[in-house]
Amino acid sequence: MREKSVITRTIETAGGVYAPGHLGELTQVVDFALVDAVLEETGTVQRRLRLLPSRVVVYFVLALALFEDCSYRGVWGKLMAGLEGLDLVRPAASSLSRARRRIGTAPLRRLFEVLAGPVAHRGQTGSFWRGLRTVAVDGILLHTPDEPAITWRHPKRAGDRLEFGYPLLRLVVLVECGTRAILAAAFGPEADGELAYAGRLLSTLDRTMLLLADAGFDANTFAADVHATGARFLVRSSARRIPTPARHLADGSYLARIGYGVLPALLTVRVIEADVTFTLADGTVRHEQWRLLTSLLDATRYPAAELIALYHERWQAETPYFSIKATMLDGRVLRSRSLSGLDQEVYALLTTYQALIRAAADTACTRPGLDMDRISFTVLLATAADTVISTTGILPPAGPADLVGTIGRAVLDALHPARRRHRVKARTRKNPTSKYGPNAGQHPTTSQNYTIHTAITFFKHGLATRARR
């Protein structure tokens, strides 16, 4: 070989036994000072300097979320891949497991609480509507290991004679529309419904926000609790509710009062009813009835037609779930086999996800007008994982801050198309224990584009019951 290329680079990371404690370029988001402060605050700093200090263990747990398909030793090998030449320990899986138990859940929970929050700047497209920050709430179920140490708290579903499926953990998050950033999260047994967990998230709301939610959150007490925070709400009504119009408004909506026999004082809401027609690319036409309840009572300032279009953005709450469950976990069962380990793992998933979103937000700041919906989470995750293996960008460069970096350059090079299309996902039941029925012609078997047409109306005979999907 007459010609060859020689590449020499300098890797900067923490010294000594702390060297394996990093998350590649995401370390600039979850930096050493932050992790040390959280460990100090939660009282989980090691009492003596070990071969696996608490800071290193925190980064190891976060790396488990980046590499869900890898074993403990496999993940440790990725943290060490770029540190050849350093005399560092290669612990056994049992040592790493004990180290996880030693730090517990508290530091990961606190890390998530610090990183959680909105990332959109004031007036950012997709995140603000008529001066209000739009947020959405929804829930999902994650599969947990079928272990006696877990099933007593997270039981499996059961019929008259048999139990079936995996134990389930319910996760409910509050999401910023337009950026997919998580503002708050709550999780626990499936038996506690979405409303119970959503109630724990309300302290995050304030008077600058508009909450979007589906019919699963149509409850008088929930609406009143949201209203008490100062936030506004736009919630889809269930067929069970039969509001009585108090006054019809010029845009076709009407005012009504809710909470009879439930709330100490009735809550005045505005009701918007509409016939919605979806036309799929293959010519299939679907009709739905929507009834929306909102605390935005001014029909002139907040037109009904715009609110119907805005409610369609509620799907933003589904995106983080898909990113966590399908992209990060790749449909796998959570790996932890104890309750404290499960809590730690879920907080690590949420923390790592939010760190990725903050890296995306920093990148978007360098391109004025860039819609964050164009940023691919798959590219974000894959590139962040690559920087862990190559130990790239652990410490920020000297001089002016580089908001783009390796991760940013990768996502900017693979942006989704600028034109946002309405697109429906194929609906098929893959899990035999799903609560949903088979797709008997109700939903397309392939993903398709669609157009949507809405007509504001008044349902004189009430709202038709929605078919169980």
Side-chain angles (χ1 to χ4, degrees):
M1 182 183 295
R2 296 183 178 180
E3 295 183 3
K4 63 179 180 180
S5 298
V6 178
I7 300 174
T8 303
R9 66 188 185 99
T10 300
I11 296 174
E12 293 185 342
T13 186
V17 293
Y18 292 97
H22 67 89
L23 207 60
E25 196 169 87
L26 288 183
T27 313
Q28 296 185 39
V29 179
V30 191
D31 61 32
F32 299 149
L34 173 59
V35 174
D36 288 343
V38 163
L39 290 169
E40 185 70 35
E41 180 181 338
T42 56
T44 48
V45 180
Q46 68 280 350
R47 296 182 180 178
R48 58 183 176 82
L49 187 59
R50 303 169 179 263
L51 295 177
L52 289 174
S54 296
R55 184 210 290 175
V56 173
V57 180
V58 168
Y59 282 113
F60 170 72
V61 174
L62 295 175
L64 289 175
L66 275 181
F67 302 100
E68 278 288 340
D69 59 334
C70 292
S71 65
Y72 279 12
R73 292 268 295 183
V75 173
W76 185 264
K78 293 181 185 301
L79 292 172
M80 294 282 293
L83 303 178
E84 294 294 335
L86 296 182
D87 185 19
L88 296 171
V89 66
R90 295 188 179 276
S94 57
S95 299
L96 293 167
S97 180
R98 286 193 297 271
R100 278 191 64 189
R101 292 197 297 272
R102 188 179 77 238
I103 65 168
T105 303
L108 277 301
R109 180 176 61 243
R110 187 65 185 126
L111 262 183
F112 169 68
E113 291 170 350
V114 171
L115 290 177
V119 300
H121 58 78
R122 191 74 182 171
Q124 182 170 320
T125 303
S127 297
F128 284 84
W129 179 77
R130 291 185 174 262
L132 296 172
R133 187 187 301 272
T134 53
V135 299
V137 64
D138 207 349
I140 198 174
L141 296 173
L142 300 177
H143 293 100
T144 69
D146 188 357
E147 298 283 345
I150 290 174
T151 53
W152 72 268
R153 179 165 174 77
H154 299 280
K156 295 188 286 185
R157 286 178 174 159
D160 294 336
R161 298 182 180 181
L162 298 174
E163 291 183 329
F164 53 88
Y166 283 101
L168 296 171
L169 177 147
R170 189 183 297 279
L171 171 65
V172 176
V173 300
L174 185 66
V175 179
E176 180 181 48
C177 296
T179 66
R180 299 168 284 179
I182 296 178
L183 280 64
F187 58 89
E190 179 201 14
D192 298 338
E194 289 180 339
L195 277 170
Y197 294 111
R200 303 181 194 175
L201 311 180
L202 297 186
S203 60
T204 308
L205 298 175
D206 60 43
R207 62 186 303 106
T208 68
M209 296 179 181
L210 171 61
L211 176 67
L212 312 180
D214 66 18
F217 299 89
D218 177 24
N220 293 321
T221 52
F222 183 73
D225 290 343
V226 173
H227 184 69
T229 68
R232 282 75 157 189
F233 61 81
L234 179 63
V235 179
R236 186 170 180 179
S237 170
S238 66
R240 297 189 307 271
R241 186 181 294 281
I242 307 176
T244 301
R247 179 161 62 94
H248 286 271
L249 304 176
D251 65 350
S253 62
Y254 61 87
L255 300 181
R257 291 188 293 178
I258 63 173
Y260 289 95
V262 178
L263 302 178
L266 296 180
L267 181 64
T268 300
V269 297
R270 182 164 152 232
V271 183
I272 304 168
E273 297 178 343
D275 285 312
V276 184
T277 302
F278 299 92
T279 304
L280 304 186
D282 64 2
T284 302
V285 178
R286 289 169 42 197
H287 300 280
E288 292 185 8
Q289 291 181 333
W290 285 9
R291 177 192 286 144
L292 306 179
L293 307 181
T294 181
S295 56
L296 299 170
L297 306 183
D298 189 337
T300 302
R301 187 175 181 185
Y302 307 108
E306 290 188 23
L307 285 168
I308 293 172
L310 179 65
Y311 175 76
H312 200 51
E313 295 298 311
R314 189 208 60 80
W315 66 268
Q316 296 268 357
E318 309 279 352
T319 310
Y321 292 137
F322 186 84
S323 298
I324 291 172
K325 188 172 183 177
T327 308
M328 296 179 74
L329 286 172
D330 196 21
R332 295 180 180 84
V333 178
L334 295 172
R335 73 169 83 216
S336 302
R337 299 178 179 271
S338 68
L339 291 178
S340 60
L342 274 181
D343 290 350
Q344 184 193 71
E345 182 177 357
V346 174
Y347 278 120
L349 281 165
L350 294 170
T351 300
T352 305
Y353 170 86
Q354 185 69 359
L356 288 165
I357 294 300
R358 288 195 173 276
D362 287 345
T363 300
C365 286
T366 66
R367 286 270 191 97
L370 176 63
D371 188 342
M372 281 189 60
D373 284 339
R374 296 185 61 194
I375 292 179
S376 166
F377 186 83
T378 301
V379 174
L380 265 177
L381 179 65
T383 310
D386 288 345
T387 66
V388 173
I389 299 170
S390 62
T391 57
T392 300
I394 295 174
L395 299 177
D402 181 9
L403 293 179
V404 178
T406 303
I407 296 175
R409 284 188 288 273
V411 298
L412 290 176
D413 192 47
L415 292 174
H416 292 316
R419 185 174 63 86
R420 296 180 61 184
R421 301 167 297 171
H422 290 310
R423 189 166 178 82
V424 64
K425 185 178 183 294
R427 300 287 287 271
T428 56
R429 189 175 69 167
K430 303 180 182 69
N431 185 348
T433 64
S434 171
K435 67 179 181 179
Y436 297 107
N439 181 4
Q442 298 181 48
H443 303 283
T445 56
T446 58
S447 297
Q448 297 183 44
N449 297 337
Y450 67 90
T451 57
I452 180 173
H453 174 75
T454 60
I456 298 173
T457 185
F458 173 62
F459 300 136
K460 295 181 180 179
H461 303 291
L463 188 65
T465 302
R466 296 170 65 190
R468 189 179 180 88
R469 297 187 175 185

